[in-house]
Amino acid sequence: MAENIDDYLQQGIHGQKQTKPDERRKFLGTLRERIVIALKQPQVREDGIYPQVEEALKTNSQAHLYLNGNMSYSYLSKYIKSASKYKVEYTIVTNKEHNSEIGLVLAHDYAIDKPDIYVERKTVKAEPKKASGGIFAKIFKRDR
């Protein structure tokens, strides 16, 4: 009985015990196994919406969108509008003790164990342009 009272008092002081608290801090209050898609903060700050996130919102309307409240609302608003468009509930999570590198998480309330949750940043390689020789090269073509 004394053990139950102690547990009750500890729960009253510190809140309910959570499984994997470090993982929950990192993933904005949810667990890795529940996540459909995640973006890191620099990705959320980029212009436009990632098409992968929009597609995930469209196909997972029962999921919940978690946004990092430590980021400026101006970066989050485009994803909030998209979530509203597809009727996906969202929460802005602010943790004053820990600023997660994660900026956005779309997750279910049950485990789905998706292996790849992070959207890789697209890097478009610009092809080097050949030196044309300028305007004089076009005017005075030389036979080679």
Side-chain angles (χ1 to χ4, degrees):
M1 179 81 178
E3 192 174 302
N4 290 340
I5 292 173
D6 188 46
D7 286 345
Y8 183 76
L9 288 173
Q10 289 299 320
Q11 183 175 331
I13 295 168
H14 301 290
Q16 280 191 322
K17 292 182 180 178
Q18 285 188 336
T19 56
K20 303 180 181 179
D22 290 335
E23 189 173 309
R24 287 181 186 269
R25 271 191 293 277
K26 179 178 180 181
F27 293 113
L28 307 178
T30 191
L31 298 171
R32 162 70 177 83
E33 64 195 21
R34 299 176 177 181
I35 296 175
V36 176
I37 196 165
L39 290 180
K40 294 188 177 178
Q41 284 194 33
Q43 292 174 301
V44 174
R45 287 188 196 103
E46 291 177 12
D47 291 336
I49 295 177
Y50 273 69
Q52 298 93 324
V53 174
E54 184 136 21
E55 184 62 31
L57 287 168
K58 186 191 287 186
T59 58
N60 296 283
S61 61
Q62 298 303 312
H64 195 95
L65 183 66
Y66 297 92
L67 300 159
N68 191 332
N70 292 323
M71 297 179 66
S72 171
Y73 183 80
S74 61
Y75 299 123
L76 304 177
S77 63
K78 58 190 172 192
Y79 289 102
I80 291 171
K81 287 177 187 171
S82 188
S84 298
K85 177 180 173 184
Y86 297 110
K87 296 178 176 54
V88 174
E89 292 182 8
Y90 67 90
T91 303
I92 297 175
V93 180
T94 305
N95 185 343
K96 295 187 188 317
E97 289 91 43
H98 179 75
N99 186 6
S100 174
E101 66 178 1
I102 304 297
L104 171 151
V105 169
L106 181 66
H108 288 281
D109 56 355
Y110 53 87
I112 58 170
D113 288 321
K114 187 175 175 189
D116 296 324
I117 61 167
Y118 293 105
V119 176
E120 293 302 318
R121 190 175 297 192
K122 294 180 190 173
T123 52
V124 180
K125 291 184 179 178
E127 298 205 11
K129 294 183 178 180
K130 295 180 182 175
S132 63
I135 194 164
F136 291 110
K138 291 178 184 173
I139 296 173
F140 303 108
K141 291 184 182 179
R142 282 197 265 170
D143 294 324
R144 293 179 193 215

